[in-house]
Amino acid sequence: MQASRTGPSDGAASFPDILRDAGLYALVALGLCIPIVSFRTELSQNSALDLVPRWGLVAGLCAAVFVVRVLQRLVLARRDARKALTPSAHQATEAVHGEPNAGQRVSRLAVPVFVGFALGLPLIAVLATGGLSQSRYWIDLGILILTYVMLGWGLNIVVGLAGLLDLGYVAFYAVGAYAYALLSTTFGLSFWVCLPLAGLFAALWGMLLGFPVLRLRGDYLAIVTLAFGEIIRLVLINWVDLTGGAAGISSIPRATFFGIPFTAGDDGFAARFGLTFDSMHRNVFLYYLILALALLTNAVTLRLRRLPIGRAWEALREDEIACRSLGINTTTTKLTAFALGAMFGGFAGSFFAVRQGFISPESFNFLESAIILAIVVLGGMGSQVGVAVAAIAMVGGPEMLRNLGFLKAIFGEGFDPSEYRLLLFGLAMVAMMVWRPRGLISVRVPSVALKERRAIAGSLVREGHG
Amino acid sequence: MDVFLQQLINGLTLGSIYGLIAIGYTMVFGIIGMVNFAHGDVFMVSSFVALILFLLLTTWLGLSSIALALLIVLVLTMVLTALWGWAIERVAYRPLRGSFRLAPLISAIGVSIFLSNFVQVTQGARNKPTPPMLNGGITLLDQGGYAVTLSYKQCLIMAVTAVLLLGFWYLVQRTSFGRAQRACEQDRRMAALLGIDVDRTISLTFVLGAALAAVAGVLYLLYYGVVSFSDGFVPGVKAFTAAVLGGIGSLPGAVLGGLIIGLIETFWSAYFSIEYKDVAAFSILAIVLIFMPSGILGRAEVEKV
Amino acid sequence: MTAPIPQRDAVLTVEHLSMRFGGLLAVNDLSFVVRRGDITALIGPNGAGKTTVFNCITGFYKPTEGMLTLRHADGTGHLLERLPNHAVNRRARVARTFQNIRLFQGMTVLENLLVAQHAPLMRASGMTVLGLLGVGGYRSAEAAAIERAKAWLDRIGLIARADDPAGDLPYGAQRRLEIARAMCTEPVLLCLDEPAAGLNPRESLELNALLRHIRDVDGTSVLLIEHDMSVVMEISDHVVVLDYGVKIADGTPGEIRSDPRVIAAYLGVEDEEIEAVDAEVGLTVPVTGAEA
């Protein structure tokens, strides 16, 4: 059980100790690999299972665990040694007014740089890849990331500001998508009419689902919202008459440029604006559409934070009982958070439907909720910039796996890096939480100040319980 | 009446499995107040471990006695799955103890995603059928062409569950580990001050929870004869529902809840619609949490001002 | 209503209040009156049910039995036991502090005081809609709210720390801030749960001054739970003594000090020892009184 004793005190552990500890880890890894890695079950011709031994892989994994553990211990030892020399700001007896550190100075520049980059991405992509159609991959990736940024920002209202743990956020994404799909296919309404309707519809669902769970706290709230999310998905699968069941809804009207379709015909977008037709026009338009929606979400959230409702949300996250003693109606305050978060989820859902042209319940499973929540928590709850960075890391990072084709040279032809996308995603979630439990940007910026706005350390900020 | 009796048997069998998984949820929640989201996937991993071990014993080592093979599989699977439980707690939960409250939940979701995809990558995405074992059963009632049968599998599942639960009950109620565990549930800091090794107690809790999930995994494999990498989530949620329904933190509650959920699921499928059986389970979860969050055997909490 | 005291005098009338938790009767048939413009102290040994009474008054608990009437100066009455929790503050205008301070620790001192002015600011922002669009008088309303907060910060000596997180303040300052936050809701009755707990003697004197100021200048009646007898005897106009959920005495500080039942309840001693204790309690008063 020696391996179980790690802490700040063993920062000065000797190298043989570290090796022994890493050896134990490797041994445990060996135990974990038996038999799930060491034998692969293969269906044979007569549909019985055959076992294929793979001890080489097991050895490789154990070695990897060994190396990673040694490196981790060395890094930790250095960090602890450094920490021992610098007292934390919380040990100070008087208020510390430090100059902003490098990271904080960079983060001041970060927002304009981000927005500028986001605005210019299509141009950059076209220039870098040498043509509109060649830039498709990057623009599509941009759309994907921005969708998650928007979802993250929407959920941030519920989780980050109001402190209400929602594991079923994807339900509102689904409601928005289906609302758009059904309204446009049955009534032929245009995107710009459907978008607000879908948002309102999702907000209504947010209130409906929010109402019964108001009394619940923490993990229980998370589980009930998860249950609601799953119920909505299962209903979408089983209510075939309305939703088309598992097959979903296809041929959803595509996005138009304010009424002008992106078609090759005479009244198409290209012809009207004197351009040569390119199917990428639509993608670029969609890119700017989701960027605008995401920025709208951000602007509204930032504005709300400075309004009494936003302060009430944050106060609710800090201490619900104190809120009630100050005359704040916690029921309506929570419901508005649910409704607004759901509304932005609904907007994002409409966008998803109009972009894909096809939706099915498959796209709205629990994993999506988990990804969005992970983005919010990893970003640092309440931090808009953090959420954007986390969305890029969590969604963009796994995408990069597709580009690691060279690994085939190492692991053989059958190796497909994107197969490991979710595996690494799960590992990354654990690693990030262990590394930064409070997320990338854990400080809170006050909504108002008399003299200067100083960031509040994350350790003081509560994460909410309701 | 015969349909009812048959469904009763099926429901109790299913409920035994849910109950075994539910104990893992309820113990962990009791001791560190977190929903171990990955528990369902630990159960799924154990099913795979059992499957491979069974194949190893029967086809490679040529063990002819199915009963002996099953016994060895059960014991080995418990040990190996317990190691998973131990390792998960050590790597993904312990560093987060006492930190930001959401972090362990996110970490657990990460472990859950990792485990299901780990199995998918290492074992493939297809359903894995087992060779048939333990066929036949006892016909209890046969009238009008409808036979109510109690299969040997079902007998075995209920018997194993009962025996293990008794042993487990003894462990928690009568041994020093059980005492340490209950002390940690009440007040971890005070327990530590009184010389209880809290880390070790929590580790053991995860180990035990995983071992019981492993029993459930073996029995699940035996009962359904097929397992796939995605089989952790839904049984996991149902078992969690069972734990909540019985009153989270209460061990008899977990078993009781498991049996109730198993019965509801089989009766719902038999009399209403099979498509909406998971909707029923999730609805029960939501309803119980909203209207009776302390469950059947749990203690009610009073809001402290 | 059969209150023995003229109604215009009473800001809060508690009649036959009982609160039961399962088998435990925490408060048993309690009746007392808090008079307008008074500082009333609710005292009693640990576990006497004082905080339970507070939680009933401020709407956190629904009393098992009894009637709690709050009367504003203009004569409008509110039955507190029928109001939802938050409406006790918003409509009946009863504010409170907590035994274990409940500040919004991760928010700044100023933000804490702005959250307390939620209702008027909410109206000014047109229930968020107008404020979101940037129309209406939200900007000026917020400026006014900040001015009010600044005035309070001046009074409690925390103006220099307005932009610091509340959780970083020293204990005594947190207690004062919590009172200021409660006062920002413009209450008719302010309920303080052990405001002097954990304060040093100097802070305790400052607290006395602050409470007098609240009573005399703001015209807010105060009901407080307190263990520190020097505070109770020094500033309260009226004292109610609870023991095991039952009222055992009710009167001026002078009357309470010489009440044998009170002393017995506090110290659990025979009557003959009371005089010694009496002298001790009496001793503490002139000392602090001289300093104040």
Side-chain angles (χ1 to χ4, degrees):
Chain A
M1 291 295 271
Q2 198 178 7
S4 67
R5 261 181 245 125
T6 35
S9 58
D10 61 0
S14 62
F15 200 66
D17 275 350
I18 292 179
L19 286 184
R20 197 175 320 127
D21 173 56
L24 265 168
Y25 267 68
L27 209 63
V28 170
L30 177 68
L32 296 181
C33 286
I34 298 171
I36 201 116
V37 181
S38 58
F39 297 95
R40 186 182 168 95
T41 47
E42 294 281 4
L43 278 175
S44 63
Q45 300 295 320
N46 50 2
S47 77
L49 285 176
D50 284 337
L51 291 179
V52 184
R54 298 183 290 192
W55 291 102
L57 184 62
V58 174
L61 277 175
C62 293
V65 166
F66 183 81
V67 172
V68 167
R69 180 63 182 167
V70 169
L71 288 178
Q72 190 204 6
R73 283 294 297 263
L74 290 176
V75 170
L76 280 181
R78 278 189 50 194
R79 198 190 64 184
D80 289 339
R82 202 173 59 234
K83 260 193 184 165
L85 292 174
T86 41
S88 80
H90 285 276
Q91 288 167 290
T93 47
E94 285 172 14
V96 185
H97 297 277
E99 287 295 303
N101 62 29
Q104 282 163 331
R105 260 176 285 147
V106 168
S107 74
R108 249 174 238 167
L109 279 176
V111 175
V113 168
F114 261 132
V115 174
F117 180 75
L119 282 171
L121 178 84
L123 191 66
I124 296 167
V126 169
L127 291 178
T129 54
L132 252 184
S133 32
Q134 287 90 324
S135 66
R136 175 183 290 271
Y137 172 77
W138 292 101
I139 291 177
D140 281 353
L141 182 60
I143 293 176
L144 185 71
I145 290 176
L146 281 174
T147 311
Y148 280 94
V149 170
M150 174 162 181
L151 287 168
W153 278 342
L155 184 62
N156 201 18
I157 295 177
V158 185
V159 179
L161 291 184
L164 302 161
L165 190 47
D166 187 348
L167 262 182
Y169 191 63
V170 78
F172 309 124
Y173 189 41
V175 167
Y178 272 87
Y180 172 71
L182 291 171
L183 285 172
S184 63
T185 51
T186 44
F187 301 109
L189 297 176
S190 81
F191 175 73
W192 296 103
V193 178
C194 290
L195 182 74
L197 285 178
L200 282 179
F201 205 63
L204 189 71
W205 272 93
M207 295 233 257
L208 270 179
L209 298 189
F211 198 73
V213 301
L214 285 170
R215 291 181 304 148
L216 298 174
R217 284 151 187 278
D219 292 353
Y220 274 21
L221 181 68
I223 300 292
V224 172
T225 48
L226 179 154
F228 282 155
E230 285 296 298
I231 289 172
I232 286 191
R233 186 177 68 86
L234 290 167
V235 168
L236 288 178
I237 291 177
N238 289 311
W239 195 356
V240 182
D241 296 341
L242 182 74
T243 64
I249 301 175
S250 52
S251 62
I252 299 166
R254 306 305 297 258
T256 58
F257 187 78
F258 303 100
I260 307 170
F262 289 96
T263 49
D266 277 344
D267 52 353
F269 174 81
R272 291 266 191 108
F273 288 84
L275 303 167
T276 45
F277 174 75
D278 192 317
S279 64
M280 276 302 292
H281 287 157
R282 178 192 285 133
N283 292 40
V284 173
F285 172 70
L286 285 172
Y287 175 83
Y288 281 111
L289 179 62
I290 186 66
L291 182 62
L293 284 172
L295 289 178
L296 174 78
T297 312
N298 185 38
V300 169
T301 310
L302 289 181
R303 186 120 206 177
L304 284 170
R305 269 202 73 201
R306 287 173 178 73
L307 287 172
I309 186 74
R311 287 205 197 102
W313 286 337
E314 292 201 79
L316 195 68
R317 180 191 64 201
E318 295 282 320
D319 195 325
E320 183 177 344
I321 286 172
C323 274
R324 280 190 261 149
S325 85
L326 296 172
I328 294 172
N329 185 341
T330 49
T331 308
T332 51
T333 308
K334 284 182 183 178
L335 281 182
T336 44
F338 266 116
L340 275 169
M343 186 179 77
F344 290 120
F347 287 158
S350 304
F351 174 81
F352 178 78
V354 82
R355 182 201 159 190
Q356 300 282 331
F358 160 76
I359 50 169
S360 75
E362 194 70 353
S363 313
F364 308 106
N365 55 23
F366 166 67
L367 188 66
E368 293 294 315
S369 286
I371 291 174
I372 303 166
L373 182 70
I375 285 172
V376 173
V377 175
L378 179 69
M381 301 205 337
S383 164
Q384 299 288 96
V385 176
V387 168
V389 175
I392 293 169
M394 296 292 256
V395 182
E399 273 311 302
M400 291 299 117
L401 283 176
R402 292 191 204 282
N403 303 336
L404 299 180
F406 67 90
L407 286 177
K408 278 187 182 160
I410 307 171
F411 292 102
E413 255 323 290
F415 185 80
D416 177 10
S418 58
E419 213 175 79
Y420 295 82
R421 201 175 71 95
L422 284 170
L423 179 86
L424 291 175
F425 185 82
L427 268 186
M429 270 169 89
V430 176
M432 300 258 204
M433 279 304 111
V434 172
W435 173 53
R436 293 204 78 140
R438 284 176 176 274
L440 294 171
I441 300 184
S442 58
V443 295
R444 174 181 175 269
V445 180
S447 64
V448 63
L450 276 190
K451 294 191 196 70
E452 55 160 338
R453 219 167 269 191
R454 284 193 300 271
I456 296 173
S459 53
L460 281 174
V461 182
R462 305 263 175 87
E463 72 268 40
H465 52 196
Chain B
M1 186 60 212
D2 1 339
V3 181
F4 177 82
L5 193 63
Q6 183 67 63
Q7 295 309 327
L8 190 70
I9 294 170
N10 295 350
L12 288 177
T13 315
L14 193 59
S16 309
I17 295 177
Y18 289 153
L20 284 169
I21 311 175
I23 288 177
Y25 279 109
T26 217
M27 277 202 308
V28 168
F29 192 91
I31 199 161
I32 52 174
M34 90 174 244
V35 178
N36 181 11
F37 219 92
H39 194 59
D41 293 281
V42 170
F43 154 78
M44 177 273 299
V45 166
S46 77
S47 254
F48 267 91
V49 170
L51 171 68
I52 298 168
L53 287 177
F54 186 79
L55 289 175
L56 263 181
L57 286 174
T58 50
T59 57
W60 280 37
L61 303 177
L63 201 66
S64 54
S65 157
I66 296 281
L68 184 63
L70 276 178
L71 187 70
I72 298 172
V73 165
L74 183 69
V75 172
L76 278 180
T77 308
M78 281 173 80
V79 172
L80 289 170
T81 313
L83 189 65
W84 272 102
W86 180 83
I88 289 169
E89 193 271 337
R90 184 69 195 79
V91 172
Y93 303 155
R94 188 180 297 177
L96 295 171
R97 210 178 292 150
S99 120
F100 193 54
R101 211 180 38 84
L102 275 185
L105 185 73
I106 302 293
S107 187
I109 294 173
V111 172
S112 165
I113 294 173
F114 167 77
L115 283 181
S116 57
N117 286 282
F118 177 73
V119 172
Q120 186 191 359
V121 166
T122 53
Q123 298 294 333
R126 299 177 67 175
N127 282 347
K128 305 285 175 174
T130 52
M133 44 189 157
L134 267 192
N135 290 323
I138 313 155
T139 305
L140 295 177
L141 210 67
D142 193 352
Q143 45 178 223
Y146 188 90
V148 177
T149 51
L150 175 64
S151 69
Y152 294 133
K153 281 180 196 171
Q154 289 173 323
C155 288
L156 185 72
I157 288 171
M158 287 191 249
V160 170
T161 307
V163 169
L164 276 165
L165 284 180
L166 280 178
F168 180 73
W169 182 246
Y170 177 80
L171 189 71
V172 172
Q173 290 294 319
R174 295 271 181 269
T175 63
S176 66
F177 160 73
R179 214 160 32 240
Q181 205 217 14
R182 278 176 288 140
C184 289
E185 262 178 43
Q186 295 282 323
D187 188 335
R188 234 186 298 158
R189 191 169 301 176
M190 195 60 215
L193 286 174
L194 293 175
I196 291 171
D197 188 340
V198 174
D199 278 348
R200 191 166 149 265
T201 310
I202 293 176
S203 270
L204 268 172
T205 305
F206 273 87
V207 163
L208 275 179
L212 287 179
V215 178
V218 175
L219 299 179
Y220 181 87
L221 186 73
L222 184 72
Y223 194 48
Y224 288 106
V226 64
V227 64
S228 110
F229 76 98
S230 59
D231 276 356
F233 182 65
V234 170
V237 172
K238 285 178 185 162
F240 179 75
T241 310
V244 173
L245 181 63
I248 198 144
S250 152
L251 296 180
V255 181
L256 180 67
L259 293 178
I260 295 175
I261 293 291
L263 287 171
I264 290 176
E265 187 183 329
T266 40
F267 279 106
W268 185 283
S269 312
Y271 291 103
F272 297 104
S273 77
I274 202 155
E275 285 89 24
Y276 281 95
K277 79 178 159 90
D278 288 349
V279 175
F282 285 113
S283 305
I284 292 165
L285 176 63
I287 290 167
V288 169
L289 277 176
I290 292 168
F291 293 107
M292 43 184 283
S294 50
I296 300 171
L297 300 178
R299 271 177 308 230
E301 249 181 69
V302 180
E303 184 180 57
K304 285 196 187 99
V305 178
Chain C
M1 237 195 274
T2 54
I5 295 162
Q7 281 181 13
R8 63 186 158 74
D9 266 339
V11 63
L12 173 72
T13 316
V14 176
E15 289 165 287
H16 307 293
L17 174 70
S18 292
M19 182 74 209
R20 187 183 284 282
F21 297 105
L24 175 78
L25 193 57
V27 179
N28 188 7
D29 196 27
L30 174 72
S31 300
F32 68 92
V33 165
V34 178
R35 270 173 302 215
R36 196 177 307 283
D38 267 10
I39 294 179
T40 304
L42 187 61
I43 65 169
N46 285 331
K50 305 179 296 284
T51 299
T52 306
V53 173
F54 255 46
N55 286 341
C56 289
I57 293 171
T58 51
F60 284 92
Y61 294 162
K62 289 280 159 252
T64 318
E65 263 174 59
M67 195 152 92
L68 305 156
T69 318
L70 191 110
R71 206 161 279 281
H72 289 179
D74 63 3
T76 48
H78 297 272
L79 290 176
L80 299 183
E81 77 277 8
R82 298 207 187 147
L83 288 178
N85 198 173
H86 70 275
V88 171
N89 178 280
R90 193 182 284 187
R91 269 190 262 155
R93 314 211 77 88
V94 177
R96 73 169 290 178
T97 64
F98 296 88
Q99 200 171 335
N100 44 344
I101 306 172
R102 285 185 176 274
L103 287 172
F104 306 122
Q105 304 210 342
M107 301 173 86
T108 65
V109 170
L110 180 65
E111 283 179 307
N112 267 274
L113 297 187
L114 289 184
V115 171
Q117 303 177 54
H118 179 76
L121 284 175
M122 209 49 190
R123 274 193 300 278
S125 72
M127 306 321 270
T128 307
V129 180
L130 297 179
L132 202 55
L133 300 172
V135 291
Y138 176 65
R139 217 168 256 278
S140 58
E142 193 187 35
I146 291 175
E147 280 312 311
R148 181 196 296 279
K150 272 162 80 176
W152 270 103
L153 289 177
D154 262 332
R155 257 165 86 173
I156 59 172
L158 286 177
I159 190 79
R161 305 207 62 178
D163 296 332
D164 287 340
D168 268 354
L169 295 182
Y171 192 80
Q174 293 200 8
R175 284 249 176 245
R176 293 203 302 281
L177 178 60
E178 206 189 13
I179 295 174
R181 188 181 67 177
M183 284 305 293
C184 276
T185 65
E186 300 193 296
V188 168
L189 175 68
L190 176 66
C191 301
L192 305 172
D193 198 343
E194 300 201 17
L199 300 190
N200 63 34
R202 192 175 56 83
E203 288 172 327
S204 189
L205 287 177
E206 284 171 8
L207 175 73
N208 290 357
L210 178 65
L211 295 186
R212 283 208 191 87
H213 193 272
I214 286 173
R215 176 189 62 187
D216 301 335
V217 179
D218 300 285
T220 300
S221 316
V222 178
L223 174 65
L224 60 90
I225 293 176
E226 191 45 73
H227 276 299
D228 186 340
M229 283 304 145
S230 68
V231 173
V232 171
M233 296 302 163
E234 172 68 20
I235 64 166
S236 42
D237 305 299
H238 192 86
V239 181
V240 177
V241 190
L242 274 188
D243 191 22
Y244 293 109
V246 181
K247 184 170 85 173
I248 57 172
D250 186 344
T252 63
E255 290 163 11
I256 295 302
R257 200 179 301 146
S258 54
D259 191 317
R261 275 177 308 170
V262 175
I263 296 164
Y266 259 86
L267 300 169
V269 291
E270 301 296 317
D271 280 11
E272 50 263 36
E273 290 177 42
I274 289 169
E275 275 165 39
V277 179
D278 197 10
E280 195 186 315
V281 175
L283 258 182
T284 56
V285 179
V287 174
T288 49
E291 281 177 44

